[in-house]
Amino acid sequence: MIRTVALFILTAFAAGAVHAQALEGRLKRIAETSTIAIAYRADAVPFSFANDKNLPDGFSIDLCKRIVNSMERQLNILGLKINWVPVTVQTRFETVAKGRADMECGSSTMTLARMKEVDFSSIIFVETTGLLTKTTSGLRSISDTSGRKIAVVAGTTNERAINGQLKRRQLNATVLPFQSRDEALAALEEGKADAFASDKLLLLGAATKAKDPRALTILADQLSIEPYGIVLPRGDAALRLAVNTGLAQIYAGEEIVEIFRRWFGPLGRPSPILQAAYNLGAIPE
């Protein structure tokens, strides 16, 4: 009962948060056109992907749809239209930075280097880099990869994490960069690579598309910490406030539990570090 009352108060205050200040930046254009452009990845299962109807779907997509609902209340707009903009690993940040999308909802890790080009919302998920390999490869951990080849998606934080781990452990493995997750998975299946390094849940999603998913396994290694955020235009404080207000409402109530269960039911509840991120993201008024 107390949580319900608190959420009602939070929502009531948030509804007037945006109008308490003059609209500016992209938020002003969104209000004037009643339209928001959201970039999404088609290959980041289960966070952002194109479903059987070729529509955006996934954990991050669900979050962003509910943020849009919150922005409708904040801006006092009925029926804020979403224009979905497909992006790739290589184009996601540029698309937001250059104004072709107002935000990107996918599996993008926050880094200081990326913050020179774009901004991020509060944390929406916390992942870790892992290794996908064939069960017959003989690999049991990254320590076994000397003389082996590891596929990565070029330009990702996973590529940097693997290179850093190999250097720190003095392992003589070869890192093979590919332009897409499908190419990296194909290299593993065809024997051109001995392992594929990426975020663990993305590896799980990729494995479901393999020719023989049962022939693949994810090793226990946790090789980095990957805090995900919604990608936003750099320096646009008004839009960032509107997005984080929406996230605060989701995190303060039961919505985040519902969304998590829908996409990660077999995992049970959020990990302690992820639950802490949600608690901290429930920013009070």
Side-chain angles (χ1 to χ4, degrees):
M1 180 64 181
I2 294 176
R3 171 173 284 188
T4 302
V5 173
L7 179 58
F8 174 79
I9 294 173
L10 176 64
T11 302
F13 274 105
V18 174
H19 283 292
Q21 57 182 330
L23 292 179
E24 57 185 358
R26 298 196 196 182
L27 197 62
K28 181 179 180 181
R29 180 187 54 74
I30 290 168
E32 291 174 345
T33 63
S34 296
T35 302
I36 185 168
I38 300 181
Y40 74 98
R41 297 264 300 282
D43 65 342
V45 179
F47 296 94
S48 174
F49 60 95
N51 62 22
D52 293 340
K53 296 180 180 179
N54 202 33
L55 297 174
D57 209 351
F59 173 83
S60 302
I61 300 299
D62 270 4
L63 271 183
C64 284
K65 286 179 178 178
R66 298 191 189 211
I67 289 170
V68 170
N69 291 339
S70 170
M71 290 175 68
E72 288 177 339
R73 297 191 296 271
Q74 295 177 53
L75 297 170
N76 196 24
I77 293 174
L78 292 177
L80 187 57
K81 179 184 177 183
I82 300 176
N83 284 340
W84 295 104
V85 181
V87 292
T88 66
V89 170
Q90 290 76 26
T91 64
R92 52 185 165 163
F93 301 117
E94 179 185 28
T95 297
V96 174
K98 293 191 175 181
R100 293 192 289 271
D102 299 306
M103 65 178 73
E104 186 258 355
C105 301
S107 55
S108 294
T109 300
M110 304 178 186
T111 70
L112 294 176
R114 289 172 175 175
M115 288 180 187
K116 295 177 182 178
E117 181 182 5
V118 295
D119 203 349
F120 291 89
S121 69
S122 299
I123 292 174
I124 64 169
F125 205 82
V126 181
E127 253 282 33
T128 181
T129 297
L131 291 171
L132 179 70
T133 186
K134 292 182 179 179
T135 54
T136 57
S137 68
L139 298 180
R140 295 295 176 266
S141 74
I142 192 173
S143 300
D144 301 325
T145 58
S146 281
R148 303 294 190 100
K149 297 177 181 179
I150 303 174
V152 297
V153 179
T156 61
T157 52
N158 309 117
E159 180 181 21
R160 185 174 64 183
I162 288 298
N163 281 320
Q165 289 282 352
L166 295 177
K167 182 178 181 180
R168 183 173 67 83
R169 298 167 187 254
Q170 298 183 333
L171 297 171
N172 186 28
T174 301
V175 177
L176 303 176
F178 292 90
Q179 291 301 303
S180 71
R181 204 169 311 283
D182 289 343
E183 290 178 4
L185 177 64
L188 174 62
E189 290 189 289
E190 294 167 7
K192 297 177 182 177
D194 301 290
F196 172 21
S198 186
D199 295 359
K200 282 199 168 185
L201 285 173
L202 295 180
L203 289 176
L204 187 62
T208 61
K209 299 191 297 182
K211 296 175 182 176
D212 184 5
R214 292 173 298 180
L216 302 175
T217 187
I218 298 177
L219 304 184
D221 299 82
Q222 297 189 24
L223 304 173
S224 70
I225 296 296
E226 307 286 332
Y228 291 177
I230 296 168
V231 180
L232 299 168
R234 191 169 187 264
D236 196 325
L239 179 56
R240 189 172 190 271
L241 174 60
V243 169
N244 281 343
T245 296
L247 286 175
Q249 294 168 5
I250 294 168
Y251 296 165
E254 295 296 325
E255 283 187 281
I256 190 59
V257 176
E258 296 170 9
I259 299 171
F260 187 90
R261 284 175 179 168
R262 179 183 177 192
W263 293 104
F264 311 116
L267 298 181
R269 297 189 61 81
S271 65
I273 189 171
L274 182 56
Q275 186 60 60
Y278 292 153
N279 290 341
L280 292 171
I283 303 169
E285 287 289 332

